[in-house]
Amino acid sequence: MLETVLDYSLQDLMLFSPEVYFRSLALYNQNIWPAQFIAALTSVYLGYLILGKPATSHKTIGIILALAWAWCGLIFHITHYSSINWFATVYGGLFLAQACLLLWAVLKTTHHSILQQEHSLINLAGKATVIFGLFIYPFLPLLTNSYFLEGQTWQEGQIFGLFPAPTLTVTIGIALMSQNYPKPLLIIPLLYTFIEFLSAYLLGSLTSCIFVGLIILLLIYFAKKTTSKNCQIY
Amino acid sequence: MKSFIDRRSLVKFLVANTALSATALWAGSLPTLAKTPTPFYQKPIPKTGLMIPAIGMGSWITFNVGNDEFLRNERTKVLKAFFEAGGGLLDSSPMYGSSQEVIGYGLQQLNFPKGLFSATKVWTNFQSQGVKQIKTAKQLWGVKQFDLLQIHNLAGWEKHLVTLTDMKEKGRLRYIGITTSHGRRHDEVEQIMKTKNIDFVQFTYNMHDREAEQRLLPLAKDKGIAVIINRPFQRGALISHLASKPLPAFAKEIDCKSWPQFLLKFIISHPAVTCAIPATSKVTHCQENMATMHGTLPDAKMRAQMSAYVDTL
């Protein structure tokens, strides 16, 4: 299959139109109703834990993240998105693997919190990314409608835990805030950020900029961790 | 550009097609044709002489709408417009996401129009998986057998050719084909056309991508292989490029009212081309495409004029 796929250009692998993609988001929201209520409450609770009590909540945060990745893999990718994109089954597998890795990290981490309250630029960027993923991402269609993403409506809003993109965003934000976030846990997020960027770019959506930003943040994070584990930017 | 339709051939062609269309109407094989004026361009499949409408329909991207019921019904309307205008060849592939399933949904809603010429593909490097794909495709389309099965982008073509030849010999398939697009692997396509017994070949040909004129189209004519043309609008890029430009005055002479019709008439007037398969998700665009099958076809001189004009834009 890989050999068959590699014979195509990137554009050839965009299997659907923007109209179909955005409608599929709205249809998914319709199908999973009222899961959005639980997801919204979870977002508020997670925001409180990450921003208010990061030093003592790492296990709860890790479990919520694992559940979010598992839901996105199983319900969004494998059950829903695969109807228009056969790559989605592979994405679903990656998301389930990430959920397992997160659970493994939760069980393994016993001695101290992975989240820090340090005053560094990268930590601040992490907090901003978490806030963006939890509380701004779901409203992007309203903010961008008629400016950047023609045809988007509030029904297409993407909530953390139910949709891959905000789940990915929050996960990366948490990684940026943490002192010793396990690097293997960032491989799938980095890979999927790149996939989201390509998809958004091919759909002509300016949300591709978000994913470029996330990739840059992750690369800065990796560079920082490589040069000095405790280096603070200011 | 080696060979084009001369005026005498064109007159013969129009007379033959008018007669055939009238026969089809009388026989009731294409009942919806009664709504369309003649002449109606059909072209023969060289190996059997069976006439098929010169404009078919592709389903790449446009029919991949998943489980969205509203969009499925919208695509059914496109199919309805296609068959009402005398459409025949409908092309898909397992690569196109839910397209085959959505086509099957539409065909069922329309009670499987009699004019249907069903064409799909196998798209895998493995022979056994190819057999499974064909079985699945039959279920998705809701057909007992396909008119045409093609090997998509030459993936595992040697193995699939064995399967398809066996199916054809047993009367479970009418025609065998191979496909490529966007100028990929033309050398290999040429070799297969020269050495293997295939009925159809599908590749890209449009006013900007004209490489096929050099070798593939003349070879198809020589070998008696039917030609399906994909991406006639360069995935919409040609229309976007030309949309703001004026149609030439001479477009009226060949009954073209829009750029899509102009582009399609250029393609189907090539003597080696059997059928072009534009894809669309809109009823109005489908009707506009299908209207290309009426009126005057350009001759060799006119085709040269058409390409010269587009080259200046």
Side-chain angles (χ1 to χ4, degrees), chain A:
Chain A
M1 177 64 99
L2 187 64
E3 190 192 331
T4 315
V5 169
L6 290 177
D7 210 20
Y8 293 87
S9 69
L10 259 182
Q11 252 186 337
D12 286 331
L13 298 175
M14 181 45 71
L15 304 168
F16 39 79
S17 64
E19 180 206 16
V20 168
Y21 175 71
F22 291 121
R23 276 190 60 90
S24 86
L25 300 183
L27 191 65
Y28 171 70
N29 264 330
Q30 196 180 313
N31 290 344
I32 60 170
W33 177 262
Q36 290 84 349
F37 276 121
I38 298 163
L41 288 174
T42 307
S43 291
V44 173
Y45 180 57
L46 190 63
Y48 165 71
L49 291 181
I50 294 170
L51 304 170
K53 296 173 66 181
T56 54
S57 311
H58 64 280
K59 279 189 186 292
T60 314
I61 292 168
I63 289 168
I64 291 173
L65 276 187
L67 288 174
W69 278 79
W71 174 286
C72 291
L74 197 63
I75 309 298
F76 181 84
H77 278 307
I78 295 174
T79 309
H80 179 76
Y81 192 36
S82 61
S83 72
I84 57 168
N85 188 352
W86 36 259
F87 285 118
T89 313
V90 178
Y91 303 157
L94 288 175
F95 269 64
L96 290 175
Q98 178 70 9
C100 293
L101 284 172
L102 283 163
L103 281 179
W104 168 78
V106 167
L107 293 173
K108 193 176 170 244
T109 310
T110 53
H111 54 291
H112 58 82
S113 165
I114 57 167
L115 292 178
Q116 303 295 309
Q117 283 286 44
E118 64 182 19
H119 295 288
S120 66
L121 270 181
I122 200 79
N123 189 277
L124 279 175
K127 282 179 183 166
T129 306
V130 165
I131 291 168
F132 178 76
L134 288 176
F135 306 118
I136 298 175
Y137 211 108
F139 301 103
L140 271 187
L142 294 179
L143 299 173
T144 58
N145 187 21
S146 81
Y147 288 98
F148 305 117
L149 302 169
E150 193 182 351
Q152 278 210 311
T153 65
W154 62 269
Q155 290 100 326
E156 295 151 19
Q158 300 183 49
I159 303 176
F160 165 82
L162 303 179
F163 285 85
T167 303
L168 177 74
T169 306
V170 171
T171 305
I172 290 173
I174 290 171
L176 297 176
M177 287 178 68
S178 66
Q179 188 70 9
N180 45 10
Y181 195 88
K183 280 184 183 171
L185 266 66
L186 283 176
I187 295 170
I188 292 173
L190 183 59
L191 178 67
Y192 193 74
T193 307
F194 186 64
I195 291 166
E196 281 278 10
F197 160 72
L198 287 179
S199 304
Y201 174 75
L202 290 172
L203 284 168
S205 164
L206 280 187
T207 49
S208 56
C209 299
I210 294 170
F211 303 109
V212 171
L214 290 177
I215 290 170
I216 291 170
L217 284 173
L218 272 176
L219 292 178
I220 292 171
Y221 176 78
F222 277 126
K224 183 182 172 243
K225 292 295 167 191
T226 306
T227 51
S228 169
K229 280 189 177 178
N230 299 312
C231 173
Q232 288 197 353
I233 296 173
Y234 75 92

Side-chain angles (χ1 to χ4, degrees), chain B residues 14 41 109 135 145 159 205 231-232 245 278 292 299:
Chain B
L14 295 182
Y41 298 122
Q109 300 291 311
K135 191 179 171 188
Q145 68 172 48
K159 302 159 205 162
Y205 173 58
R231 306 191 179 185
K245 315 283 195 309
T292 311
D299 59 11

Side-chain angles (χ1 to χ4, degrees), chain B residues 204-219:
Chain B
T204 299
Y205 173 58
N206 56 55
M207 276 211 158
H208 273 185
D209 300 312
R210 296 172 61 184
E211 188 193 329
E213 285 177 352
Q214 303 305 315
R215 285 160 29 216
L216 296 187
L217 284 165
L219 180 61

Side-chain angles (χ1 to χ4, degrees), chain B residues 1-310:
Chain B
M1 291 179 286
K2 285 178 182 171
S3 58
F4 298 112
I5 295 175
D6 59 45
R7 286 189 188 277
R8 183 172 292 181
S9 306
L10 185 65
V11 170
K12 280 184 184 173
F13 180 72
L14 295 182
V15 170
N17 278 292
T18 307
L20 275 161
S21 297
T23 309
L25 279 171
W26 177 78
S29 59
L30 292 169
T32 51
L33 275 180
K35 293 181 182 176
T36 61
T38 57
F40 175 75
Y41 298 122
Q42 298 184 87
K43 287 196 158 190
I45 296 169
K47 294 271 170 76
T48 60
L50 178 76
M51 302 294 284
I52 58 170
I55 302 289
M57 185 153 67
S59 57
W60 168 236
I61 294 182
T62 51
F63 275 72
N64 182 19
V65 302
N67 301 321
D68 191 324
E69 202 177 331
F70 171 78
L71 290 181
R72 279 182 174 223
N73 290 330
E74 289 296 299
R75 299 305 179 266
T76 302
K77 288 177 191 169
V78 175
L79 282 180
K80 187 168 183 280
F82 175 70
F83 286 110
E84 278 181 353
L89 194 150
L90 196 53
D91 180 75
S92 194
S93 169
M95 189 205 176
Y96 304 167
S98 60
S99 290
Q100 296 195 106
E101 192 180 338
V102 174
I103 285 173
Y105 173 85
L107 291 177
Q108 197 170 27
Q109 300 291 311
L110 301 173
N111 284 324
F112 294 90
K114 283 178 184 171
L116 172 68
F117 186 93
S118 54
T120 193
K121 307 182 187 88
V122 279
W123 183 61
T124 170
N125 283 319
F126 306 102
Q127 190 171 12
S128 59
Q129 209 177 334
V131 173
K132 282 181 195 166
Q133 278 185 356
I134 295 167
K135 191 179 171 188
T136 305
K138 280 181 192 170
Q139 290 167 352
L140 293 173
W141 281 63
V143 296
K144 285 180 184 169
Q145 68 172 48
F146 284 102
D147 292 301
L148 168 63
L149 278 172
Q150 304 153 99
I151 301 163
H152 195 147
N153 203 23
L154 307 184
W157 68 267
E158 295 99 330
K159 302 159 205 162
H160 300 313
L161 208 52
V162 174
T163 305
L164 301 185
T165 304
D166 181 57
M167 285 178 71
K168 192 180 167 186
E169 282 170 2
K170 288 176 179 165
R172 288 191 275 137
L173 175 64
R174 295 173 83 185
Y175 302 103
I176 297 170
I178 56 169
T179 80
T180 185
S181 58
H182 265 66
R184 291 187 199 96
R185 299 164 79 175
H186 275 194
D187 290 341
E188 205 173 346
V189 170
E190 192 178 345
Q191 278 309 309
I192 298 169
M193 289 169 72
K194 282 177 180 168
T195 58
K196 303 293 176 187
N197 186 20
I198 56 169
D199 308 301
F200 274 83
V201 62
Q202 182 181 142
F203 48 78
T204 299
Y205 173 58
N206 56 55
M207 276 211 158
H208 273 185
D209 300 312
R210 296 172 61 184
E211 188 193 329
E213 285 177 352
Q214 303 305 315
R215 285 160 29 216
L216 296 187
L217 284 165
L219 180 61
K221 188 122 182 85
D222 288 347
K223 301 287 287 183
I225 299 171
V227 175
I228 297 173
I229 297 301
N230 59 36
R231 306 191 179 185
F233 305 139
Q234 244 189 358
R235 238 181 343 209
L238 257 176
I239 293 176
S240 302
H241 170 67
L242 296 169
S244 58
K245 315 283 195 309
L247 266 177
F250 62 77
K252 285 180 186 168
E253 294 173 37
I254 48 170
D255 302 302
C256 288
K257 292 174 184 166
S258 64
W259 277 114
Q261 291 181 352
F262 189 88
L263 297 171
L264 286 174
K265 278 217 167 165
F266 177 80
I267 294 169
I268 64 170
S269 61
H270 193 290
V273 170
T274 311
C275 179
I277 48 167
T280 182
S281 57
K282 293 186 169 57
V283 169
T284 49
H285 290 174
C286 177
Q287 288 166 335
E288 185 180 41
N289 293 342
M290 299 307 284
T292 311
M293 289 197 290
H294 301 281
T296 310
L297 265 192
D299 59 11
K301 190 179 161 193
M302 177 61 81
R303 290 185 90 248
Q305 201 177 345
M306 290 166 87
S307 63
Y309 179 77
V310 169

